[in-house]
Amino acid sequence: MERIWQEVLQAVEKRVTPSTFERWIGQLSFIGSEGDNVYVGVPSSFARDWITDHGIRDILQQEFSGLCSREVKLVIKVVRQDGDRSDTDGTSGDPVPEPAGGRLIEEVTRNAGLNPRYRFEDFVVGPSNQLAYAASLSVAENPARNYNPLFIYGGAGLGKTHLLNAIGHRIIEKNPSARVIYTSSETFTNELINSIKGKTPHLFREKYRQNCDALLIDDIQFLSNKPGTQEEFFHTFNTLYESHRQIVISSDAIPREIPKLEDRLRTRFQWGLIADIQPPEIETRLAIIHRKAEKEGLDIPEDVAMFIATKIKTNIREIEGSLKRLRAFSEMSGREIDLNFAKEVLSETLGTNRTLTVDDVLKAVASHYNVRTTELKGGRRLRSVARPRQIAMYICRNYLNSTYPEIGRHFNKDHSTVISAVRKIKNLSSSDSSVKEAIEAIKRQLGL
């Protein structure tokens, strides 16, 4: 069985990333076998849980079963330095303490609010996210030295939350005594409101200003139009920055495009590095699909992966959801996953992708510029309305392939006015960075 264990390791090495193999599988030790059970050891319950949660245990079990030509159950035991072992649930026999380092890291990451699934090892890097990934890794390795603050922006489901969590995990791995806080702007706001109601604002400020070495705050755009919360965050930001502690912020837009945000916050968000995440290109989407499928224990044929990649272009969470759906339906029906099966199972989710309409563009532009759709379709010539109207016409023409008369009917304009507006925005998009950035932000919102 020891020989089979070595063959299993060789097979698994080809199925996971080098960093995952070195960091996690390298901790495993072969204990022995009994009947259909194979026992391997890990040094901590933290490592055991990570290996289980990330699908590594399933991969090991598959390889063992294949090499043994029968179904094998892999049992992971926590092994103390003195050789004592505990079962996978850690409850059999006398309590077995895990090494202090593993227990400490596990506790610290839990208290920091970090998601154990989001680590650098699990992030698929491509041209669309390379800058954000490199900056995040640099910040995690050297907090408050390279980029402070680090501001990451991009559309929903592209990996911003993943990177924020990965930064927190890496900081704690390097320094378990680091006080890391991952939170969302919504949670920050709710905690502030509750502290005011409970007359404990001093405890709120102590948490975020005194007992925090790295603040990772998600979806900062939701501070928009919340002057009280913006005031509190302004002072929190200043305290952390002036005491050389790391701040990482994520948003769906660059600072200058976040509406109703105080200029002093907008300025501070631009002090460090601003890194964007774009929708992944087809090669990166395919790599993501195969990586996620590996975690789900799925063997995805290339044509199925291509089918999903061509249907889901902007949201990684949708890819995860599709793979989970495929796995569930495959297990329930006993059918193998092939292209016809994937089309059948995913028709309700992927088949509902409807064609964007002019009304969709109107709503997205109105939301971006904080105006009403009726104003965009009206006759007002104020710059605050006229420019968004022209951009809406430009997007309809260039990305929806709408005809000039069709666009004119929606905006109550003749086709010559539409032609002039489209031509003007086309010229401005190459000479005015603010117009170009606005178009890109609206495209992300529309999933273009």
Side-chain angles (χ1 to χ4, degrees):
M1 189 62 76
E2 179 68 40
R3 179 185 58 79
I4 292 179
W5 169 243
Q6 295 303 321
E7 292 180 11
V8 166
L9 292 179
Q10 292 174 13
V12 171
E13 188 173 10
K14 298 176 182 178
R15 296 181 60 179
V16 301
T17 62
S19 58
T20 297
F21 187 86
E22 181 180 348
R23 181 184 293 269
W24 299 106
I25 299 178
Q27 299 185 41
L28 295 171
S29 60
F30 179 73
I31 297 174
S33 63
E34 182 179 349
D36 290 333
N37 290 340
V38 174
Y39 299 92
V40 297
V42 291
S44 69
S45 62
F46 178 75
R48 175 197 65 202
D49 294 344
W50 194 97
I51 288 169
T52 301
D53 293 342
H54 287 72
I56 304 299
R57 176 187 171 278
D58 293 337
I59 294 175
L60 289 163
Q61 186 166 286
Q62 289 171 10
E63 295 296 340
F64 256 118
S65 298
L67 290 168
C68 293
S69 300
R70 69 178 193 275
E71 286 298 318
V72 168
K73 179 182 179 182
L74 187 78
V75 180
I76 302 177
K77 292 177 172 286
V78 177
V79 182
R80 285 196 316 196
Q81 291 182 350
D82 60 8
D84 284 350
R85 300 161 185 161
S86 68
D87 288 337
T88 52
D89 60 3
T91 59
S92 70
D94 296 329
V96 179
E98 63 178 274
R103 185 172 63 250
L104 177 59
I105 290 176
E106 184 178 5
E107 181 180 350
V108 172
T109 54
R110 183 172 60 249
N111 292 339
L114 298 173
N115 188 322
R117 297 188 300 115
Y118 294 152
R119 299 172 184 270
F120 284 119
E121 293 85 356
D122 308 311
F123 192 85
V124 178
V125 184
S128 58
N129 57 32
Q130 197 165 25
L131 173 61
Y133 173 83
S136 298
L137 190 59
S138 177
V139 161
E141 296 290 344
N142 298 287
R145 292 184 183 178
N146 294 332
Y147 311 117
N148 199 22
L150 172 60
F151 190 99
I152 303 173
Y153 76 96
L158 295 182
K160 302 186 299 296
T161 298
H162 191 140
L163 286 178
L164 261 64
N165 276 269
I167 291 170
H169 281 296
R170 182 60 59 86
I171 290 175
I172 292 171
E173 286 171 8
K174 292 176 66 67
N175 178 16
S177 64
R179 299 167 299 178
V180 175
I181 296 178
Y182 167 81
T183 190
S184 66
S185 62
E186 183 179 4
T187 300
F188 185 89
T189 301
N190 291 336
E191 287 184 18
L192 173 61
I193 292 171
N194 291 334
S195 73
I196 294 172
K197 288 181 180 178
K199 298 181 180 180
T200 57
H202 62 286
L203 295 179
F204 175 86
R205 290 165 185 156
E206 183 178 296
K207 172 183 176 179
Y208 284 102
R209 300 184 195 179
Q210 297 178 29
N211 299 330
C212 178
D213 297 316
L215 177 61
L216 317 170
I217 185 159
D218 223 345
D219 293 323
I220 201 70
Q221 73 272 9
F222 291 122
L223 291 189
S224 174
N225 204 27
K226 295 185 176 73
T229 308
Q230 289 185 35
E231 174 78 19
E232 190 66 34
F233 188 73
F234 170 78
H235 294 295
T236 298
F237 183 103
N238 283 348
T239 299
L240 296 176
Y241 184 85
E242 290 167 3
S243 56
H244 305 289
R245 286 175 279 174
Q246 183 67 52
I247 304 165
V248 184
I249 300 167
S250 85
S251 173
D252 65 356
I254 59 176
R256 78 171 92 179
E257 292 179 357
I258 301 176
K260 296 184 180 179
L261 183 71
E262 292 183 6
D263 286 339
R264 57 182 181 173
L265 277 178
R266 204 184 308 272
T267 300
R268 280 162 174 76
F269 292 169
Q270 299 176 125
W271 279 355
L273 176 68
I274 297 177
D276 70 320
I277 300 181
Q278 296 292 333
E281 48 290 306
I282 185 70
E283 294 82 4
T284 304
R285 295 201 299 275
L286 285 169
I288 291 170
I289 289 167
H290 285 299
R291 179 74 64 84
K292 301 290 184 184
E294 177 184 302
K295 283 191 173 185
E296 290 292 324
L298 292 175
D299 182 15
I300 295 291
E302 195 62 38
D303 57 350
V304 173
M306 182 62 72
F307 169 71
I308 297 172
T310 54
K311 289 290 185 178
I312 304 176
K313 300 180 180 180
T314 61
N315 196 316
I316 309 306
R317 295 193 192 104
E318 290 184 14
I319 290 177
E320 292 179 337
S322 295
L323 292 174
K324 289 180 184 295
R325 186 177 175 87
L326 281 176
R327 178 179 182 176
F329 275 74
S330 176
E331 290 177 348
M332 286 188 293
S333 66
R335 292 172 58 185
E336 290 188 4
I337 297 174
D338 57 21
L339 184 57
N340 289 332
F341 180 77
K343 288 180 177 179
E344 177 185 331
V345 170
L346 301 179
S347 61
E348 293 183 11
T349 53
L350 303 187
T352 57
N353 290 346
R354 62 184 180 85
T355 303
L356 289 172
T357 65
V358 174
D359 285 336
D360 293 325
V361 175
L362 280 167
K363 291 175 184 177
V365 173
S367 173
H368 180 81
Y369 282 102
N370 198 28
V371 298
R372 294 190 296 272
T373 56
T374 53
E375 292 180 291
L376 295 177
K377 294 190 288 187
R380 297 181 65 190
R381 297 187 177 182
L382 292 175
R383 182 181 175 86
S384 60
V385 176
R387 180 58 53 77
R389 181 188 298 130
Q390 292 168 341
I391 288 176
M393 292 178 178
Y394 172 84
I395 292 175
C396 289
R397 176 60 183 170
N398 286 277
Y399 297 97
L400 271 60
N401 295 319
S402 302
T403 64
Y404 290 120
E406 181 184 357
I407 298 171
R409 286 195 296 271
H410 279 85
F411 288 85
N412 300 310
K413 305 291 181 185
D414 59 58
H415 75 280
S416 62
T417 301
V418 177
I419 293 173
S420 176
V422 171
R423 185 181 297 122
K424 182 173 185 177
I425 297 303
K426 180 181 179 181
N427 293 333
L428 285 175
S429 65
S430 59
S431 61
D432 188 329
S433 61
S434 65
V435 172
K436 181 179 179 180
E437 289 166 357
I439 293 171
E440 290 301 318
I442 295 165
K443 284 169 57 184
R444 287 196 298 272
Q445 189 175 341
L446 290 166
L448 295 171

